[in-house]
Amino acid sequence: MEIRTARSARSMKVLVAAGLAAAVTLGAGAAAPAFARGTESAVRAQPEDGVRPVLPAPTGPHPVGTVTSRLVDHSRHDPWVTSQPYRELMVSVWYPARKTGGGPAPAPYMAPGAAERWDAAAPHGIAKGAVDWPGMRTHARQSAPVDDRGGRRPVLLYSAGANDPRTWGTSLVEEMASRGYVVITVDHTYEAPGVQFPDGSVKGDKPLRDAFAKVTDDRSLSRLLKKVLDTRVADDKFVLDRLGALPHGLSRVIDRGRVGMFGQSAGGIAAAETMYEDKRVKAAVNLDGTMELNGEPKGTNLTPVARHGVDRPLLLMGREGSDHTTEPSWGAFWSHTPGWKRDFTLRGSQHQTYTDLAALLPQTGASRAVIEKNIGTVDPKRAVAAQRSYVTSFFDRWLRDRDNHLLDGPSPQFPEVRYVP
């Protein structure tokens, strides 16, 4: 896990307080998260309403449905707002649906209150007002009938990067649902820029901002990173505890013996660490998340999964130049894991290539320079196709006993993907 900071604690605190582009991330070489991001090299806002980008359609055989749910953990106080005697989360569940013809309307990409906060954050090179986030739609149908044919289905948890909303991986999530998986996306309250609850209230990320403003040195930074990771893992374990009480009758169609987890950046770290700590997770994918608690990759303050390895399959996928031979924490994990593991690099990619930005940014009118700075030189359509194919191949292999051998080595189908033995 990584936060890129200014060189000194003093300048770091000044940058955050001013809301400038302090280079702060939880992940591997990422752009700064929303609470510290400015709009340098951002897409200019449109003169009227923002553009409404379209996500790539899922390619699996199943239509996709989705529902949202509020989950409340009464067993712990909220770690960010300790006066609150419970921890509440918002999740979305994406699932194979029956064909409904005209049926329910496509679900919105984000709830209105969350969309407003996301727009204000000027996320990842997209300036405020440039995108109509509230008007964007997914390919999933809101509360569509569940397809309960074909037996119980494997279930996946998805965790977004630090200070990103649970929607920021929707393209990949919808793909997995269209291929027969039930996928749960989790918002980590008070860390995501805005989490909207059923009563209309929106919980922002001020507690995380306040905690970051108190960082004075590497040691206090590592403590904050540990808190972020520990909170995410506890959230994920709680969601696993609630698999038997999913909304819309979905608990009846999932197989709690076939659980996987995947995520990008801090979400990838959380996926690996949750699998390390919780035997219910049978396989996990880490999309470009550094597994250490430092501001820069040093190979110190390693997470437990990096220090000890894991006895279940883990897939690593990194940006250009990031693999287990160059990333110290990945190297540590690699040397401590004798079992099945794979490492692939997406050539020409950047950290945010593993999010919806790869599909959305080119539709905003961004310049070539802005695109390359944020998602790299890889062709965006090929990047989306590669991520979908490799993640599907991995979970099919370990949760469905279906092996198409894509993960065995280099593939002529995807020359932009480098296999790192």
Side-chain angles (χ1 to χ4, degrees), residues 122-385:
H124 306 295
I126 300 177
K128 182 177 180 180
V131 170
D132 178 13
W133 299 108
M136 274 187 61
R137 290 294 180 267
T138 67
H139 297 280
R141 299 284 176 169
Q142 190 76 50
S143 302
V146 178
D147 188 349
D148 55 4
R149 298 166 294 185
R152 292 184 177 267
R153 301 186 182 279
V155 60
L156 306 174
L157 268 63
Y158 173 79
S159 184
N163 211 217
D164 287 340
R166 71 184 188 271
T167 56
W168 202 226
T170 297
S171 174
L172 183 54
V173 167
E174 287 191 319
E175 178 71 10
M176 300 310 297
S178 79
R179 293 183 175 274
Y181 292 85
V182 174
V183 188
I184 304 171
T185 60
V186 184
D187 258 338
H188 300 284
T189 313
Y190 300 118
E191 183 197 317
V195 183
Q196 183 168 327
F197 288 88
D199 64 359
S201 64
V202 180
K203 307 294 174 63
D205 60 359
K206 186 177 183 298
L208 179 61
R209 291 172 178 262
D210 291 346
F212 182 78
K214 295 177 183 177
V215 168
T216 57
D217 53 23
D218 288 345
R219 182 174 297 179
S220 58
L221 177 60
S222 293
R223 286 197 298 266
L224 175 57
L225 293 177
K226 185 177 187 301
K227 180 176 180 177
V228 171
L229 179 60
D230 289 348
T231 299
R232 281 173 165 251
V233 171
D235 289 347
D236 295 332
K237 289 180 177 179
F238 171 63
V239 173
L240 292 176
D241 292 341
R242 296 298 300 272
L243 290 182
L246 294 178
H248 205 52
L250 284 157
S251 292
R252 295 195 301 271
V253 301
I254 64 168
D255 183 349
R256 282 184 275 175
R258 292 187 291 162
V259 176
M261 189 169 174
F262 63 118
Q264 185 262 350
S265 190
I269 310 163
E273 190 63 30
T274 301
M275 181 169 70
Y276 172 79
E277 296 188 22
D278 196 316
K279 294 289 187 181
R280 289 175 292 184
V281 181
K282 306 303 183 186
V285 179
N286 178 354
L287 300 172
D288 208 39
T290 301
M291 294 188 285
E292 60 181 88
L293 305 173
N294 289 320
E296 300 285 345
K298 301 176 183 177
T300 60
N301 293 319
L302 297 174
T303 60
V305 69
R307 289 200 310 269
H308 304 296
V310 72
D311 60 358
R312 279 145 290 150
L314 180 66
L315 172 65
L316 300 171
M317 292 193 74
R319 72 193 185 282
E320 177 74 53
S322 184
D323 57 60
H324 73 268
T325 70
T326 62
E327 169 56 56
S329 67
W330 284 19
F333 162 81
W334 202 261
S335 65
H336 291 118
T337 301
W340 195 99
K341 54 189 181 289
R342 291 292 187 274
D343 187 356
F344 294 92
T345 295
L346 190 55
R347 292 185 173 96
S349 65
Q350 294 285 357
H351 189 62
Q352 286 295 319
T353 312
Y354 289 101
T355 72
D356 285 344
L357 195 69
L360 302 182
L361 187 58
Q363 300 180 58
T364 63
S367 69
R368 187 74 231 168
V370 170
I371 290 174
E372 291 186 3
K373 177 178 179 178
N374 287 280
I375 61 174
T377 57
V378 63
D379 178 82
K381 292 182 180 179
R382 293 292 300 170
V384 170

